[in-house]
Amino acid sequence: MTRIRRGYIARRRRTKIRLFASSFRGAHSRLTRTITQQKIRALVSSHRDRDRQKRNFRRLWITRINAVIREGGVSYSYSRLIHDLYKKKLLLNRKILAQIAISNKNCLYMISNEIIKKVDCKESTGII
C-alpha cells in the first residue's frame, strides 16, 4: 500500500491557534497542547476581567464624585446627591458626574446646590 498524505485541515487549525499565541512566552507559543491550554486560559481571563473592569470604573467614579462633593458641603455626601438626583429625575450617570467633578468642580457644586434648594423647598411646603 502506498503512503497517504494527510490533509491540510489539522495543520490549518494548528496554525490558527499558533497565530493567537504568537506573543506568548516560551513553550506557551511553541507547543500545540500548551498553546491550546493557554488560549483557553487567556479567553477565560479576558471574559472575567471585562466584568471586573466595569466594576472598578464604577468604584472610581463614585470615589471621585464623593471626594468633590464632600469638599464643597460639610453635611452633604455622595449617597444624598444620588438620591436627590433620582428624586428630581435628572439623567446624569456616574461617569458624567465624575467627569464634571474632575474638569469643573464649580459646575458640580452648582448642580448639587440647585438640587438641595429644590428638594428642601418641596419638603418644607409639603409637596412631594
Side-chain angles (χ1 to χ4, degrees):
M1 249 170 111
T2 58
R3 180 179 174 272
I4 296 173
R5 291 182 61 205
R6 289 292 306 264
Y8 60 91
I9 295 171
R11 187 168 56 246
R12 193 169 55 185
R13 178 174 44 90
R14 288 189 199 109
T15 52
K16 196 165 35 171
I17 293 172
R18 282 213 166 92
L19 284 174
F20 179 84
S22 62
S23 62
F24 296 172
R25 290 183 63 176
H28 298 306
S29 67
R30 290 189 193 96
L31 305 178
T32 306
R33 278 189 188 170
T34 326
I35 288 173
T36 53
Q37 290 170 359
Q38 288 304 308
K39 180 182 177 183
I40 292 169
R41 187 184 175 109
L43 293 175
V44 165
S45 295
S46 67
H47 183 266
R48 180 194 63 225
D49 291 337
R50 274 195 292 275
D51 289 337
R52 193 172 285 173
Q53 184 183 27
K54 292 179 184 74
R55 228 176 292 151
N56 289 340
F57 269 109
R58 184 182 166 99
R59 286 176 61 192
L60 176 69
W61 297 331
I62 289 171
T63 306
R64 285 178 175 171
I65 296 167
N66 198 16
V68 172
I69 286 296
R70 286 179 187 267
E71 275 180 16
V74 178
S75 64
Y76 208 61
S77 67
Y78 164 80
S79 59
R80 280 191 53 200
L81 173 73
I82 295 295
H83 177 69
D84 293 344
L85 280 173
Y86 275 110
K87 265 190 185 173
K88 293 304 299 166
K89 296 178 180 143
L90 286 175
L91 299 174
L92 290 173
N93 60 12
R94 289 161 181 82
K95 181 179 179 180
I96 300 297
L97 284 172
Q99 288 176 350
I100 292 171
I102 289 174
S103 62
N104 194 357
K105 291 181 183 180
N106 294 332
C107 183
L108 190 66
Y109 292 148
M110 286 171 44
I111 292 171
S112 62
N113 289 336
E114 288 296 318
I115 292 170
I116 291 171
K117 286 178 191 173
K118 289 179 183 176
V119 170
D120 288 341
C121 289
K122 283 189 177 181
E123 287 177 356
S124 64
T125 57
I127 302 170
I128 298 173

